[in-house]
């Protein structure tokens, strides 16, 4: 049964390790974790809709605090930037009917909310839709900050926000957000 977004079988330990690294608690090979994620992203990007491009992009987003501030070894940042740039270019000015996407939320809020959100995004589609609420997929502050009650995402249901996560523009948007965090531009 397909999941909400494609994820590899070993996604939980990977995500947990990335979150530990983001918080400075990772005891393993930090540079290796970044390189592994970047290489896996390269192997899937631009990818088909069955490839976990968004998952690996979110992984590099989770790793950007380390890459930006954790003193990574030679070439690590360049490898991450190159992989993220390839994904960011994948948007190619594509348009969609959505007025809002999850990558438009504040990166810090997204990073805090992402581990819980990945649980839903990795669920089989019918299971994920059971009692899905907007706050399950978007940081609460993002919903509260909408000044206009008609503005997205405040007026969206959980399933409507889920379609924004599944939009082909979401991975490139998160790649651009990660590049911004790194002070890099799309190459």
């Amino acid at each position: 049964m397909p999941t909400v977004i494609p994820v590899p079988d070993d996604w939980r330990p990977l995500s947990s390790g990335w979150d530990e690294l983001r918080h400075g608690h990772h005891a393993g090979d930090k540079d290796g974790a970044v390189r592994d994620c970047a290489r896996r992203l390269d192997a899937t990007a631009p990818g088909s809709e069955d490839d976990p491009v968004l998952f690996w992009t979110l992984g590099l987003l989770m790793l950007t605090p380390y890459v930006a501030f954790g003193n990574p070894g030679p070439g690590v940042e360049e490898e991450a930037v190159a992989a993220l740039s390839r994904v960011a270019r994948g948007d190619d000015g594509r348009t969609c009917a959505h007025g809002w996407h999850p990558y438009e939320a504040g990166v810090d809020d997204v990073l805090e909310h992402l581990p819980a959100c990945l649980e839903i995004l990795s669920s089989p589609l019918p299971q994920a839709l059971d009692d899905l609420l907007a706050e399950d997929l978007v940081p609460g502050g993002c919903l509260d900050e909408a000044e206009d009650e008609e503005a997205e995402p405040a007026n969206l249901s959980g399933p409507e926000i889920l379609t924004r996560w599944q939009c082909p523009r979401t991975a490139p948007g998160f790649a651009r957000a990660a590049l911004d965090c790194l002070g890099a531009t799309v190459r």
Side-chain angles (χ1 to χ4, degrees), residues 1-3 124-127:
M1 176 171 282
T3 55
L125 195 52
Q127 177 185 337

Side-chain angles (χ1 to χ4, degrees), residues 10-183:
D10 61 345
W11 78 268
R12 280 185 176 89
L14 290 166
S15 175
S16 177
W18 298 333
D19 201 40
E20 287 172 2
L21 205 154
R22 181 175 73 87
H23 288 291
H25 304 298
H26 187 69
D29 180 1
K30 297 171 183 155
D31 289 352
V34 176
R35 283 192 162 104
D36 177 61
C37 187
R39 289 174 183 154
R40 290 188 195 209
L41 179 58
D42 266 345
T44 59
S48 71
E49 64 182 47
D50 295 331
D51 287 330
V53 174
L54 177 58
F55 175 78
W56 297 117
T57 303
L58 293 171
L60 279 180
L61 179 67
M62 289 176 77
L63 294 167
T64 56
Y66 167 72
V67 175
F69 307 111
N71 197 24
V76 173
E77 181 174 358
E78 291 79 9
E79 198 168 335
V81 167
L84 289 165
S85 290
R86 278 187 278 289
V87 174
R89 285 191 311 266
D91 198 357
D92 290 334
R94 189 180 317 177
T95 61
C96 67
H98 306 133
W100 177 88
H101 294 85
Y103 60 82
E104 296 177 54
V107 171
D108 290 336
D109 292 335
V110 169
L111 288 174
E112 286 301 317
H113 191 69
L114 197 51
C117 190
L118 278 173
E119 284 293 331
I120 294 165
L121 294 173
S122 67
S123 299
L125 195 52
Q127 177 185 337
L129 291 175
D130 292 343
D131 304 318
L132 185 63
L133 301 172
E135 52 268 16
D136 294 333
L137 295 168
V138 178
C142 187
L143 297 171
D144 295 339
E145 291 173 6
E147 294 176 19
D148 178 2
E149 289 182 16
E150 299 297 315
E152 291 185 0
N155 66 335
L156 297 174
S157 68
E160 290 171 320
I161 291 175
L162 191 62
T163 64
R164 273 55 172 197
W165 277 99
Q166 296 169 319
C167 179
R169 295 185 63 208
T170 299
F174 276 120
R176 286 189 301 276
L179 288 167
D180 285 346
C181 289
L182 295 171

